[in-house]
Amino acid sequence: MDISTVIAGTRFDNPVFLASGIVDETLKSVERAIKSGAGAAVTKSIGKDERAGYVPPIISELPTGMLNAVGLANPGIDDFIDEFKTSSLKEKIVVSIFGKDSEEFLELAKKVQDAGFTTIELNLSCPHVKGYGSEVGEDPELVEEIIKELKSKTNLKVWAKLTPNVTHIVDIAKAAERADALVLINTVKAIGVNIWARKFSLTNGIGGYSGPGIKPIALRAVYDVYKETGKELIGVGGITTYEDAIEFMLLGAKAIQVGTAIYYKDFKIFNEISQGIMNYLEMEGFGSLQEIIGLMVK
Amino acid sequence: MKFSNIVSVKKIGRDFFEISFNIDSEVRAGQFLMVWVPGVKEIPMSVSNLKNPITISFKAIGETTKRLSAMRPGDRIFYRGPYGNTYPDPKGKTAYVAGGTGIASLLPLISAYPGDVYYGMRTAEDIVYKNLVNFVSTDDGSMGFKGNVVDLFIREKRKYDTVFVCGPEPMMKYFHDKINRNEYGNIYYSLERLMKCGVGICDSCSINGFRVCRDGTVFDHEQLNIMDEFGTVRRAESGRRIFLK
Ligand SMILES: Cc1cc2nc3c(=O)[nH]c(=O)nc-3n(C[C@H](O)[C@H](O)[C@H](O)COP(=O)(O)OP(=O)(O)OC[C@H]3O[C@@H](n4cnc5c(N)ncnc54)[C@H](O)[C@@H]3O)c2cc1C
Ligand SMILES: Cc1cc2nc3c(=O)[nH]c(=O)nc-3n(C[C@H](O)[C@H](O)[C@H](O)COP(=O)(O)O)c2cc1C
Ligand code: FES
């Protein structure tokens, strides 16, 4: 069964990708995900300058997923490129970048392009760092300007990753119209409280909620955006089984990403979901993955 | 995040402490907890005694460990875990090679299975668990062999079926490089790296794609052969590579 998928003209062997920020700070871990069966792997979000991130606790385990506030820890674009440029798997590595304005995004994107990568994912959605991520991604004009700048001044395929922490995600999706694909969703802005310490669960207080508990929120975002824009979509949020992946595909996602599921199932998750998708398509009498994408929205 | 009321706090050496408390899950040799001092930080700590009340043994070197050392019986200690894989049970004649606080991780094995214990420290004043140790080295020669514990181990020329090693990464790297592999059976190392999540998702502890917190902390000699970053590349909190000499 063919489960390859084409996103913005690029073909991927399978539609199960590694999400940004989960075991992808080091090149060897990113390559491990690909060798374990990920169709593509998105790197941790990289900015202009080195950031140490927040002091632990940076994660808090919940019965329905997890909270995190890693704080965009990253080595800075130059050290990142130095490490990642040696990879022989570049066509399967998508570089996630974050910046505060179009100038910063462009500077980062050019370095990524010069290092031989072909696709970037824009982190317009991290909920817990001031001045970055969702603070940029909540502003439709800024989103439009950043994508216009990147599409006119680089040859990169641009995936824009959006935040669910807005009143109308479709408005932001429309502002990101020029992106080659949209990635939905980043974590849901959230707080955890420890009543026995009378402190926030995370050092940063505010964090992002991920894992099974956010899947219905992500499905809603994919459905609304697919219906309203028809854009190429990549679904992410709480996917831990092939059934979860199929749900996203029926609502319009051409591929999916897994993050928190690594915590539950480790690297075997990629092959497990791919195999499950193949069996499902066969069992249900479909000829290819393509046939189910957006099936429930037409 | 769970918490427990501390049963005892003991000072067992210079800046070296043991805290005991009851936990509600089973811990196995080699595993660690993430211990949280609210308002300060969350840090990894090996479990040095596995039976309730379990024990953590540590050196007060920074803010978190100093705050822990100042805690009193009845105080709340916050933790999550246990995490990580475990040491396999030793077979045959066994040696334990420890450097500094690395001995904490080996203590559950040392107290369960007889074997020769080699312990290296900076100076005689740092000695802990003296009655468990067979061979001592100090950097300054103030007690036992003058030099590092790896050279002491090699000089003793004893044969072992199983060897366990835990200490600072440069010491373990030196051990890995120096010993004559053919003279020993299985050799296991428990690695220590900067850890933020403890559960295998943040990648801050990874060496060549192996996460010390989840794929380890225990690796065997042959696994380390294929990790060229072991002992040569460290990671800053940002993930930036720091090349060691
Ligand atoms: C799996 C694991 C198990 C551990 N078990 C134990 C244990 O049983 N007993 C014990 O005493 N310690 C143990 N450690 C080390 C312990 O976690 C650190 O000592 C602790 O994080 C220090 O926190 P702090 O805030 O007190 O000091 P900080 O203020 O964070 O650090 C003080 C100084 O120590 C250095 N430092 C911090 N962490 C390390 C490290 N991991 N290796 C080398 N230098 C470091 C810092 O660079 C700094 O110079 C373990 C570490 C790991 C990864
Ligand atoms: C620990 C952690 C770190 C993350 N870091 C990033 C990041 O750097 N950039 C980004 O775009 N998303 C980041 N995310 C969000 C994920 O990529 C994903 O959108 C979200 O977790 C929902 O998917 P999941 O439920 O499969 O984890 C992070 C998530 C987690 C749990
Ligand atoms: S500490 Fe996060 S992956 Fe090991």
PDB file of all heavy atoms in Angstrom, chain B residues 16 32 40-41 43-47 56-66 101 104-105 191-195 212 217, ligand 1:
ATOM      1  N   PHE B  16      28.681  16.047  52.169  1.00  0.00           N
ATOM      2  CA  PHE B  16      28.008  14.876  51.605  1.00  0.00           C
ATOM      3  C   PHE B  16      26.842  14.480  52.508  1.00  0.00           C
ATOM      4  O   PHE B  16      27.002  14.343  53.707  1.00  0.00           O
ATOM      5  CB  PHE B  16      29.004  13.713  51.472  1.00  0.00           C
ATOM      6  CG  PHE B  16      28.749  12.829  50.291  1.00  0.00           C
ATOM      7  CD1 PHE B  16      29.598  12.847  49.194  1.00  0.00           C
ATOM      8  CD2 PHE B  16      27.654  11.959  50.264  1.00  0.00           C
ATOM      9  CE1 PHE B  16      29.365  12.020  48.095  1.00  0.00           C
ATOM     10  CE2 PHE B  16      27.415  11.143  49.170  1.00  0.00           C
ATOM     11  CZ  PHE B  16      28.271  11.172  48.082  1.00  0.00           C
ATOM     12  N   PHE B  32      16.967   6.688  38.674  1.00  0.00           N
ATOM     13  CA  PHE B  32      17.085   7.999  39.325  1.00  0.00           C
ATOM     14  C   PHE B  32      15.716   8.654  39.453  1.00  0.00           C
ATOM     15  O   PHE B  32      14.742   8.245  38.812  1.00  0.00           O
ATOM     16  CB  PHE B  32      18.042   8.896  38.529  1.00  0.00           C
ATOM     17  CG  PHE B  32      17.543   9.284  37.156  1.00  0.00           C
ATOM     18  CD1 PHE B  32      16.860  10.482  36.941  1.00  0.00           C
ATOM     19  CD2 PHE B  32      17.742   8.444  36.056  1.00  0.00           C
ATOM     20  CE1 PHE B  32      16.389  10.832  35.684  1.00  0.00           C
ATOM     21  CE2 PHE B  32      17.268   8.785  34.789  1.00  0.00           C
ATOM     22  CZ  PHE B  32      16.596   9.991  34.597  1.00  0.00           C
ATOM     23  N   VAL B  40      13.430  26.750  43.314  1.00  0.00           N
ATOM     24  CA  VAL B  40      14.857  26.678  42.968  1.00  0.00           C
ATOM     25  C   VAL B  40      15.009  25.940  41.637  1.00  0.00           C
ATOM     26  O   VAL B  40      15.133  26.569  40.595  1.00  0.00           O
ATOM     27  CB  VAL B  40      15.693  26.008  44.078  1.00  0.00           C
ATOM     28  CG1 VAL B  40      17.170  26.022  43.714  1.00  0.00           C
ATOM     29  CG2 VAL B  40      15.480  26.730  45.411  1.00  0.00           C
ATOM     30  N   LYS B  41      14.965  24.611  41.668  1.00  0.00           N
ATOM     31  CA  LYS B  41      15.216  23.845  40.450  1.00  0.00           C
ATOM     32  C   LYS B  41      14.826  22.398  40.664  1.00  0.00           C
ATOM     33  O   LYS B  41      14.651  21.959  41.789  1.00  0.00           O
ATOM     34  CB  LYS B  41      16.709  23.947  40.091  1.00  0.00           C
ATOM     35  CG  LYS B  41      17.042  23.577  38.666  1.00  0.00           C
ATOM     36  CD  LYS B  41      18.441  23.990  38.211  1.00  0.00           C
ATOM     37  CE  LYS B  41      19.582  23.453  39.032  1.00  0.00           C
ATOM     38  NZ  LYS B  41      20.888  23.671  38.374  1.00  0.00           N
ATOM     39  N   ILE B  43      16.310  18.571  39.804  1.00  0.00           N
ATOM     40  CA  ILE B  43      17.587  17.948  39.429  1.00  0.00           C
ATOM     41  C   ILE B  43      17.500  16.409  39.492  1.00  0.00           C
ATOM     42  O   ILE B  43      16.733  15.864  40.278  1.00  0.00           O
ATOM     43  CB  ILE B  43      18.755  18.419  40.337  1.00  0.00           C
ATOM     44  CG1 ILE B  43      18.468  18.092  41.811  1.00  0.00           C
ATOM     45  CG2 ILE B  43      19.030  19.904  40.142  1.00  0.00           C
ATOM     46  CD1 ILE B  43      19.661  18.305  42.730  1.00  0.00           C
ATOM     47  N   PRO B  44      18.317  15.733  38.668  1.00  0.00           N
ATOM     48  CA  PRO B  44      18.341  14.267  38.739  1.00  0.00           C
ATOM     49  C   PRO B  44      19.163  13.781  39.927  1.00  0.00           C
ATOM     50  O   PRO B  44      20.195  14.365  40.246  1.00  0.00           O
ATOM     51  CB  PRO B  44      19.023  13.866  37.424  1.00  0.00           C
ATOM     52  CG  PRO B  44      19.813  15.062  36.994  1.00  0.00           C
ATOM     53  CD  PRO B  44      19.158  16.264  37.588  1.00  0.00           C
ATOM     54  N   MET B  45      18.703  12.728  40.570  1.00  0.00           N
ATOM     55  CA  MET B  45      19.398  12.139  41.723  1.00  0.00           C
ATOM     56  C   MET B  45      19.243  10.633  41.682  1.00  0.00           C
ATOM     57  O   MET B  45      18.113  10.112  41.636  1.00  0.00           O
ATOM     58  CB  MET B  45      18.750  12.613  43.034  1.00  0.00           C
ATOM     59  CG  MET B  45      19.247  13.927  43.559  1.00  0.00           C
ATOM     60  SD  MET B  45      20.902  13.719  44.234  1.00  0.00           S
ATOM     61  CE  MET B  45      21.618  15.255  43.682  1.00  0.00           C
ATOM     62  N   SER B  46      20.345   9.916  41.745  1.00  0.00           N
ATOM     63  CA  SER B  46      20.290   8.451  41.800  1.00  0.00           C
ATOM     64  C   SER B  46      19.687   8.012  43.119  1.00  0.00           C
ATOM     65  O   SER B  46      19.837   8.690  44.128  1.00  0.00           O
ATOM     66  CB  SER B  46      21.696   7.866  41.708  1.00  0.00           C
ATOM     67  OG  SER B  46      22.319   8.295  40.544  1.00  0.00           O
ATOM     68  N   VAL B  47      19.058   6.846  43.101  1.00  0.00           N
ATOM     69  CA  VAL B  47      18.561   6.270  44.345  1.00  0.00           C
ATOM     70  C   VAL B  47      19.648   5.327  44.864  1.00  0.00           C
ATOM     71  O   VAL B  47      20.069   4.408  44.167  1.00  0.00           O
ATOM     72  CB  VAL B  47      17.231   5.529  44.114  1.00  0.00           C
ATOM     73  CG1 VAL B  47      16.752   4.882  45.411  1.00  0.00           C
ATOM     74  CG2 VAL B  47      16.187   6.491  43.567  1.00  0.00           C
ATOM     75  N   ILE B  56      18.596   9.103  48.917  1.00  0.00           N
ATOM     76  CA  ILE B  56      19.438   9.759  47.914  1.00  0.00           C
ATOM     77  C   ILE B  56      20.692  10.244  48.642  1.00  0.00           C
ATOM     78  O   ILE B  56      20.622  10.668  49.796  1.00  0.00           O
ATOM     79  CB  ILE B  56      18.725  10.935  47.194  1.00  0.00           C
ATOM     80  CG1 ILE B  56      18.193  11.969  48.186  1.00  0.00           C
ATOM     81  CG2 ILE B  56      17.600  10.413  46.296  1.00  0.00           C
ATOM     82  CD1 ILE B  56      17.668  13.246  47.506  1.00  0.00           C
ATOM     83  N   SER B  57      21.840  10.112  47.974  1.00  0.00           N
ATOM     84  CA  SER B  57      23.131  10.473  48.574  1.00  0.00           C
ATOM     85  C   SER B  57      23.792  11.484  47.666  1.00  0.00           C
ATOM     86  O   SER B  57      23.975  11.207  46.486  1.00  0.00           O
ATOM     87  CB  SER B  57      24.036   9.251  48.685  1.00  0.00           C
ATOM     88  OG  SER B  57      23.352   8.191  49.321  1.00  0.00           O
ATOM     89  N   PHE B  58      24.122  12.628  48.190  1.00  0.00           N
ATOM     90  CA  PHE B  58      24.589  13.674  47.282  1.00  0.00           C
ATOM     91  C   PHE B  58      25.562  14.632  47.946  1.00  0.00           C
ATOM     92  O   PHE B  58      25.625  14.742  49.166  1.00  0.00           O
ATOM     93  CB  PHE B  58      23.397  14.484  46.754  1.00  0.00           C
ATOM     94  CG  PHE B  58      22.612  15.160  47.850  1.00  0.00           C
ATOM     95  CD1 PHE B  58      22.882  16.469  48.221  1.00  0.00           C
ATOM     96  CD2 PHE B  58      21.624  14.462  48.533  1.00  0.00           C
ATOM     97  CE1 PHE B  58      22.172  17.084  49.247  1.00  0.00           C
ATOM     98  CE2 PHE B  58      20.914  15.075  49.565  1.00  0.00           C
ATOM     99  CZ  PHE B  58      21.190  16.385  49.916  1.00  0.00           C
ATOM    100  N   LYS B  59      26.296  15.307  47.067  1.00  0.00           N
ATOM    101  CA  LYS B  59      27.218  16.324  47.526  1.00  0.00           C
ATOM    102  C   LYS B  59      26.544  17.678  47.331  1.00  0.00           C
ATOM    103  O   LYS B  59      25.970  17.943  46.265  1.00  0.00           O
ATOM    104  CB  LYS B  59      28.491  16.241  46.680  1.00  0.00           C
ATOM    105  CG  LYS B  59      29.646  16.949  47.314  1.00  0.00           C
ATOM    106  CD  LYS B  59      30.968  16.475  46.747  1.00  0.00           C
ATOM    107  CE  LYS B  59      32.049  17.175  47.530  1.00  0.00           C
ATOM    108  NZ  LYS B  59      33.377  16.752  47.180  1.00  0.00           N
ATOM    109  N   ALA B  60      26.606  18.525  48.362  1.00  0.00           N
ATOM    110  CA  ALA B  60      26.019  19.867  48.256  1.00  0.00           C
ATOM    111  C   ALA B  60      27.004  20.763  47.519  1.00  0.00           C
ATOM    112  O   ALA B  60      27.989  21.226  48.084  1.00  0.00           O
ATOM    113  CB  ALA B  60      25.713  20.415  49.643  1.00  0.00           C
ATOM    114  N   ILE B  61      26.745  20.935  46.222  1.00  0.00           N
ATOM    115  CA  ILE B  61      27.696  21.699  45.398  1.00  0.00           C
ATOM    116  C   ILE B  61      27.081  22.975  44.822  1.00  0.00           C
ATOM    117  O   ILE B  61      27.798  23.870  44.405  1.00  0.00           O
ATOM    118  CB  ILE B  61      28.221  20.875  44.198  1.00  0.00           C
ATOM    119  CG1 ILE B  61      27.043  20.368  43.348  1.00  0.00           C
ATOM    120  CG2 ILE B  61      29.101  19.736  44.637  1.00  0.00           C
ATOM    121  CD1 ILE B  61      27.443  19.971  41.950  1.00  0.00           C
ATOM    122  N   GLY B  62      25.766  23.057  44.794  1.00  0.00           N
ATOM    123  CA  GLY B  62      25.128  24.225  44.193  1.00  0.00           C
ATOM    124  C   GLY B  62      23.859  24.547  44.947  1.00  0.00           C
ATOM    125  O   GLY B  62      23.578  23.945  45.993  1.00  0.00           O
ATOM    126  N   GLU B  63      23.061  25.450  44.413  1.00  0.00           N
ATOM    127  CA  GLU B  63      21.926  25.941  45.186  1.00  0.00           C
ATOM    128  C   GLU B  63      20.917  24.843  45.543  1.00  0.00           C
ATOM    129  O   GLU B  63      20.471  24.748  46.684  1.00  0.00           O
ATOM    130  CB  GLU B  63      21.219  27.082  44.437  1.00  0.00           C
ATOM    131  CG  GLU B  63      20.299  27.824  45.387  1.00  0.00           C
ATOM    132  CD  GLU B  63      19.520  28.951  44.741  1.00  0.00           C
ATOM    133  OE1 GLU B  63      19.792  29.306  43.574  1.00  0.00           O
ATOM    134  OE2 GLU B  63      18.610  29.469  45.423  1.00  0.00           O
ATOM    135  N   THR B  64      20.586  23.995  44.578  1.00  0.00           N
ATOM    136  CA  THR B  64      19.556  22.989  44.835  1.00  0.00           C
ATOM    137  C   THR B  64      20.034  21.968  45.871  1.00  0.00           C
ATOM    138  O   THR B  64      19.317  21.646  46.820  1.00  0.00           O
ATOM    139  CB  THR B  64      19.189  22.255  43.534  1.00  0.00           C
ATOM    140  OG1 THR B  64      19.244  23.183  42.461  1.00  0.00           O
ATOM    141  CG2 THR B  64      17.811  21.654  43.612  1.00  0.00           C
ATOM    142  N   THR B  65      21.221  21.451  45.663  1.00  0.00           N
ATOM    143  CA  THR B  65      21.732  20.440  46.594  1.00  0.00           C
ATOM    144  C   THR B  65      21.991  21.059  47.981  1.00  0.00           C
ATOM    145  O   THR B  65      21.816  20.382  48.994  1.00  0.00           O
ATOM    146  CB  THR B  65      23.008  19.779  46.039  1.00  0.00           C
ATOM    147  OG1 THR B  65      23.868  20.793  45.506  1.00  0.00           O
ATOM    148  CG2 THR B  65      22.668  18.791  44.938  1.00  0.00           C
ATOM    149  N   LYS B  66      22.369  22.327  48.031  1.00  0.00           N
ATOM    150  CA  LYS B  66      22.548  22.963  49.349  1.00  0.00           C
ATOM    151  C   LYS B  66      21.213  23.105  50.068  1.00  0.00           C
ATOM    152  O   LYS B  66      21.120  22.872  51.274  1.00  0.00           O
ATOM    153  CB  LYS B  66      23.233  24.334  49.202  1.00  0.00           C
ATOM    154  CG  LYS B  66      24.739  24.187  49.013  1.00  0.00           C
ATOM    155  CD  LYS B  66      25.462  25.518  48.873  1.00  0.00           C
ATOM    156  CE  LYS B  66      26.935  25.236  48.606  1.00  0.00           C
ATOM    157  NZ  LYS B  66      27.566  26.296  47.806  1.00  0.00           N
ATOM    158  N   THR B 101      30.674  11.455  43.396  1.00  0.00           N
ATOM    159  CA  THR B 101      29.298  11.120  43.766  1.00  0.00           C
ATOM    160  C   THR B 101      28.762   9.926  42.968  1.00  0.00           C
ATOM    161  O   THR B 101      27.680   9.433  43.264  1.00  0.00           O
ATOM    162  CB  THR B 101      28.342  12.314  43.540  1.00  0.00           C
ATOM    163  OG1 THR B 101      28.444  12.710  42.175  1.00  0.00           O
ATOM    164  CG2 THR B 101      28.699  13.488  44.444  1.00  0.00           C
ATOM    165  N   ALA B 104      27.030   6.868  44.565  1.00  0.00           N
ATOM    166  CA  ALA B 104      25.620   6.800  44.985  1.00  0.00           C
ATOM    167  C   ALA B 104      24.832   5.831  44.111  1.00  0.00           C
ATOM    168  O   ALA B 104      24.035   5.023  44.594  1.00  0.00           O
ATOM    169  CB  ALA B 104      24.994   8.190  44.930  1.00  0.00           C
ATOM    170  N   SER B 105      25.070   5.903  42.811  1.00  0.00           N
ATOM    171  CA  SER B 105      24.348   5.069  41.861  1.00  0.00           C
ATOM    172  C   SER B 105      24.697   3.590  42.021  1.00  0.00           C
ATOM    173  O   SER B 105      23.872   2.706  41.783  1.00  0.00           O
ATOM    174  CB  SER B 105      24.673   5.588  40.452  1.00  0.00           C
ATOM    175  OG  SER B 105      24.591   4.583  39.501  1.00  0.00           O
ATOM    176  N   LEU B 191      25.950   6.654  32.892  1.00  0.00           N
ATOM    177  CA  LEU B 191      26.365   7.979  32.430  1.00  0.00           C
ATOM    178  C   LEU B 191      25.609   9.098  33.128  1.00  0.00           C
ATOM    179  O   LEU B 191      24.497   8.903  33.628  1.00  0.00           O
ATOM    180  CB  LEU B 191      26.169   8.085  30.910  1.00  0.00           C
ATOM    181  CG  LEU B 191      27.355   7.628  30.047  1.00  0.00           C
ATOM    182  CD1 LEU B 191      27.936   6.321  30.504  1.00  0.00           C
ATOM    183  CD2 LEU B 191      26.955   7.556  28.580  1.00  0.00           C
ATOM    184  N   GLU B 192      26.220  10.258  33.134  1.00  0.00           N
ATOM    185  CA  GLU B 192      25.605  11.426  33.759  1.00  0.00           C
ATOM    186  C   GLU B 192      25.707  12.596  32.795  1.00  0.00           C
ATOM    187  O   GLU B 192      26.792  12.914  32.326  1.00  0.00           O
ATOM    188  CB  GLU B 192      26.378  11.744  35.046  1.00  0.00           C
ATOM    189  CG  GLU B 192      25.554  12.428  36.096  1.00  0.00           C
ATOM    190  CD  GLU B 192      26.371  12.778  37.335  1.00  0.00           C
ATOM    191  OE1 GLU B 192      26.511  11.905  38.209  1.00  0.00           O
ATOM    192  OE2 GLU B 192      26.872  13.905  37.410  1.00  0.00           O
ATOM    193  N   ARG B 193      24.573  13.178  32.473  1.00  0.00           N
ATOM    194  CA  ARG B 193      24.558  14.326  31.570  1.00  0.00           C
ATOM    195  C   ARG B 193      23.586  15.365  32.086  1.00  0.00           C
ATOM    196  O   ARG B 193      22.710  15.037  32.890  1.00  0.00           O
ATOM    197  CB  ARG B 193      24.116  13.885  30.168  1.00  0.00           C
ATOM    198  CG  ARG B 193      25.231  13.266  29.355  1.00  0.00           C
ATOM    199  CD  ARG B 193      26.027  14.344  28.661  1.00  0.00           C
ATOM    200  NE  ARG B 193      27.268  13.849  28.101  1.00  0.00           N
ATOM    201  CZ  ARG B 193      27.723  14.171  26.884  1.00  0.00           C
ATOM    202  NH1 ARG B 193      27.014  14.929  26.092  1.00  0.00           N
ATOM    203  NH2 ARG B 193      28.893  13.729  26.469  1.00  0.00           N
ATOM    204  N   LEU B 194      23.681  16.562  31.581  1.00  0.00           N
ATOM    205  CA  LEU B 194      22.684  17.585  31.883  1.00  0.00           C
ATOM    206  C   LEU B 194      21.313  17.028  31.517  1.00  0.00           C
ATOM    207  O   LEU B 194      21.133  16.517  30.424  1.00  0.00           O
ATOM    208  CB  LEU B 194      22.970  18.830  31.044  1.00  0.00           C
ATOM    209  CG  LEU B 194      21.892  19.907  31.091  1.00  0.00           C
ATOM    210  CD1 LEU B 194      21.992  20.687  32.392  1.00  0.00           C
ATOM    211  CD2 LEU B 194      21.997  20.846  29.907  1.00  0.00           C
ATOM    212  N   MET B 195      20.378  17.090  32.461  1.00  0.00           N
ATOM    213  CA  MET B 195      19.032  16.570  32.193  1.00  0.00           C
ATOM    214  C   MET B 195      17.987  17.616  32.536  1.00  0.00           C
ATOM    215  O   MET B 195      18.032  18.205  33.608  1.00  0.00           O
ATOM    216  CB  MET B 195      18.769  15.323  33.044  1.00  0.00           C
ATOM    217  CG  MET B 195      19.467  14.102  32.548  1.00  0.00           C
ATOM    218  SD  MET B 195      19.028  12.689  33.553  1.00  0.00           S
ATOM    219  CE  MET B 195      20.181  11.481  32.857  1.00  0.00           C
ATOM    220  N   VAL B 212      20.514   9.621  27.597  1.00  0.00           N
ATOM    221  CA  VAL B 212      21.014   9.046  28.846  1.00  0.00           C
ATOM    222  C   VAL B 212      19.864   8.791  29.813  1.00  0.00           C
ATOM    223  O   VAL B 212      19.827   7.779  30.504  1.00  0.00           O
ATOM    224  CB  VAL B 212      22.089   9.958  29.484  1.00  0.00           C
ATOM    225  CG1 VAL B 212      22.476   9.461  30.869  1.00  0.00           C
ATOM    226  CG2 VAL B 212      23.327  10.025  28.581  1.00  0.00           C
ATOM    227  N   THR B 217      20.272   5.189  32.157  1.00  0.00           N
ATOM    228  CA  THR B 217      21.621   5.720  32.188  1.00  0.00           C
ATOM    229  C   THR B 217      22.707   4.677  31.975  1.00  0.00           C
ATOM    230  O   THR B 217      23.875   5.020  31.774  1.00  0.00           O
ATOM    231  CB  THR B 217      21.896   6.396  33.553  1.00  0.00           C
ATOM    232  OG1 THR B 217      21.765   5.404  34.599  1.00  0.00           O
ATOM    233  CG2 THR B 217      20.907   7.501  33.841  1.00  0.00           C
TER     234      THR B 217
HETATM  235  C1  LIG C   1      21.182  10.612  36.271  1.00  0.00           C
HETATM  236  C2  LIG C   1      21.894  11.487  37.277  1.00  0.00           C
HETATM  237  C3  LIG C   1      22.027  11.052  38.582  1.00  0.00           C
HETATM  238  C4  LIG C   1      22.682  11.846  39.530  1.00  0.00           C
HETATM  239  N1  LIG C   1      22.809  11.364  40.793  1.00  0.00           N
HETATM  240  C5  LIG C   1      23.489  12.078  41.714  1.00  0.00           C
HETATM  241  C6  LIG C   1      23.667  11.561  43.024  1.00  0.00           C
HETATM  242  O1  LIG C   1      23.201  10.488  43.354  1.00  0.00           O
HETATM  243  N2  LIG C   1      24.362  12.309  43.913  1.00  0.00           N
HETATM  244  C7  LIG C   1      24.887  13.540  43.566  1.00  0.00           C
HETATM  245  O2  LIG C   1      25.524  14.180  44.419  1.00  0.00           O
HETATM  246  N3  LIG C   1      24.733  14.055  42.343  1.00  0.00           N
HETATM  247  C8  LIG C   1      24.046  13.352  41.400  1.00  0.00           C
HETATM  248  N4  LIG C   1      23.890  13.866  40.132  1.00  0.00           N
HETATM  249  C9  LIG C   1      24.381  15.218  39.842  1.00  0.00           C
HETATM  250  C10 LIG C   1      23.370  16.225  40.354  1.00  0.00           C
HETATM  251  O3  LIG C   1      22.192  16.164  39.572  1.00  0.00           O
HETATM  252  C11 LIG C   1      23.955  17.651  40.288  1.00  0.00           C
HETATM  253  O4  LIG C   1      24.967  17.713  41.233  1.00  0.00           O
HETATM  254  C12 LIG C   1      22.914  18.684  40.594  1.00  0.00           C
HETATM  255  O5  LIG C   1      22.153  18.910  39.430  1.00  0.00           O
HETATM  256  C13 LIG C   1      23.500  19.971  41.039  1.00  0.00           C
HETATM  257  O6  LIG C   1      22.466  20.925  41.240  1.00  0.00           O
HETATM  258  P1  LIG C   1      22.728  22.243  42.082  1.00  0.00           P
HETATM  259  O7  LIG C   1      21.648  23.206  41.785  1.00  0.00           O
HETATM  260  O8  LIG C   1      22.943  21.897  43.508  1.00  0.00           O
HETATM  261  O9  LIG C   1      24.102  22.772  41.535  1.00  0.00           O
HETATM  262  P2  LIG C   1      24.338  23.745  40.301  1.00  0.00           P
HETATM  263  O10 LIG C   1      24.288  25.123  40.815  1.00  0.00           O
HETATM  264  O11 LIG C   1      23.464  23.358  39.182  1.00  0.00           O
HETATM  265  O12 LIG C   1      25.802  23.294  39.930  1.00  0.00           O
HETATM  266  C14 LIG C   1      26.927  23.538  40.763  1.00  0.00           C
HETATM  267  C15 LIG C   1      28.177  23.193  39.979  1.00  0.00           C
HETATM  268  O13 LIG C   1      28.203  21.813  39.598  1.00  0.00           O
HETATM  269  C16 LIG C   1      28.273  21.653  38.203  1.00  0.00           C
HETATM  270  N5  LIG C   1      27.395  20.555  37.813  1.00  0.00           N
HETATM  271  C17 LIG C   1      26.033  20.506  37.871  1.00  0.00           C
HETATM  272  N6  LIG C   1      25.555  19.343  37.434  1.00  0.00           N
HETATM  273  C18 LIG C   1      26.607  18.616  37.085  1.00  0.00           C
HETATM  274  C19 LIG C   1      26.763  17.320  36.535  1.00  0.00           C
HETATM  275  N7  LIG C   1      25.712  16.525  36.249  1.00  0.00           N
HETATM  276  N8  LIG C   1      28.022  16.885  36.297  1.00  0.00           N
HETATM  277  C20 LIG C   1      29.090  17.669  36.554  1.00  0.00           C
HETATM  278  N9  LIG C   1      29.003  18.903  37.069  1.00  0.00           N
HETATM  279  C21 LIG C   1      27.797  19.382  37.326  1.00  0.00           C
HETATM  280  C22 LIG C   1      27.804  22.949  37.617  1.00  0.00           C
HETATM  281  O14 LIG C   1      28.377  23.208  36.361  1.00  0.00           O
HETATM  282  C23 LIG C   1      28.280  23.950  38.670  1.00  0.00           C
HETATM  283  O15 LIG C   1      29.622  24.312  38.484  1.00  0.00           O
HETATM  284  C24 LIG C   1      23.229  13.099  39.159  1.00  0.00           C
HETATM  285  C25 LIG C   1      23.097  13.536  37.844  1.00  0.00           C
HETATM  286  C26 LIG C   1      22.455  12.755  36.895  1.00  0.00           C
HETATM  287  C27 LIG C   1      22.354  13.224  35.494  1.00  0.00           C
END
